[in-house]
């Protein structure tokens, strides 16, 4: 499986997240950082359960599910990660630092998931929702289909 687009290294993204938290007065606790780091190391879609299991192995101790969910909620609130609504899988955002809707291409065969970096789509969606007085709580758009490697030859 091909890795999803990464314009920044995991290291640089972590540093950026750190700086953003400081600027916003948000606490980037060791647990929150650990979860984000884990997701950046393998930027495909992961379930909360899978993340927790990996984290437990890494930290060599048992974790309470709320600990992990709280960390994920924080990362989502900061716009560092997104959650796919169809599978409830979490993904690190590939362009953190600006509020936006996650727009994803999801391959139904191999699971490869790519985040589109297209601000016109996100902006149009926000404007459309606003025009209806609609408040978006989970700004994720998923396009399901087959990736370049899985699609049938034309
Ligand atoms: Zn994003
Ligand atoms: Zn595929």
């Amino acid at each position: 499986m091909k890795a999803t687009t990464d314009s920044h290294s995991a290291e640089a993204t972590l540093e950026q997240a750190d700086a953003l938290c400081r600027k916003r007065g948000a606490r980037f606790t060791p647990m929150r950082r650990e979860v984000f780091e884990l997701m950046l190391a393998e930027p495909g879609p992961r379930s909360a359960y899978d993340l927790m299991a990996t984290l437990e192995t890494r930290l060599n101790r048992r974790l309470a599910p709320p600990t992990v969910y709280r960390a994920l909620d924080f990362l989502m609130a900061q716009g560092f990660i997104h959650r796919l609504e169809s599978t409830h899988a979490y993904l690190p955002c590939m362009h953190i630092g600006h509020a936006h809707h996650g727009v994803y291409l999801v391959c139904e065969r191999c699971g490869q998931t790519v985040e589109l970096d297209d601000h016109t789509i996100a902006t149009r969606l926000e404007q459309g929702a606003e025009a209806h007085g609609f408040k978006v709580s989970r700004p994720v758009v998923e396009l399901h289909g087959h990736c370049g490697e899985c699609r049938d030859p034309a």
Side-chain angles (χ1 to χ4, degrees):
M1 188 173 134
K2 224 165 58 184
T4 47
T5 18
D6 57 330
S7 42
H8 306 286
S9 69
E11 204 97 329
T13 306
L14 267 177
E15 236 153 75
Q16 203 185 344
D18 222 356
L20 280 168
C21 285
R22 268 199 305 272
K23 207 168 82 187
R24 295 167 179 167
R27 286 181 57 232
F28 203 25
T29 62
M31 177 57 72
R32 292 164 175 175
R33 196 190 167 87
E34 195 80 40
V35 172
F36 192 40
E37 202 176 345
L38 197 67
M39 295 179 71
L40 288 170
E42 227 184 281
R46 314 268 298 267
S47 70
Y49 181 82
D50 172 41
L51 284 166
M52 188 166 83
T54 312
L55 206 56
E56 283 183 337
T57 311
R58 191 151 132 167
L59 301 174
N60 197 23
R61 63 182 167 94
R62 304 289 295 168
L63 294 168
T67 314
V68 178
Y69 279 110
R70 272 199 301 269
L72 289 169
D73 283 344
F74 172 85
L75 295 170
M76 265 200 290
Q78 296 298 322
F80 298 165
I81 65 172
H82 299 293
R83 189 178 68 165
L84 297 180
E85 291 300 317
S86 59
T87 55
H88 291 178
Y90 295 86
L91 290 131
C93 177
M94 286 304 153
H95 6 80
I96 69 170
H98 37 77
H100 66 285
H101 293 223
V103 180
Y104 285 101
L105 305 176
V106 182
C107 178
E108 290 179 329
R109 209 162 285 172
C110 71
Q112 187 184 142
T113 305
V114 176
E115 181 174 2
L116 285 184
D117 189 6
D118 186 334
H119 291 280
T120 45
I121 298 175
T123 307
R124 292 285 286 277
L125 289 171
E126 272 155 44
Q127 289 168 344
E130 212 151 285
H132 286 273
F134 189 87
K135 180 164 182 329
V136 179
S137 50
R138 291 193 296 274
V140 176
V141 177
E142 300 172 38
L143 304 177
H144 289 244
H146 294 117
C147 74
E149 281 150 49
C150 294
R151 60 184 288 183
D152 299 320

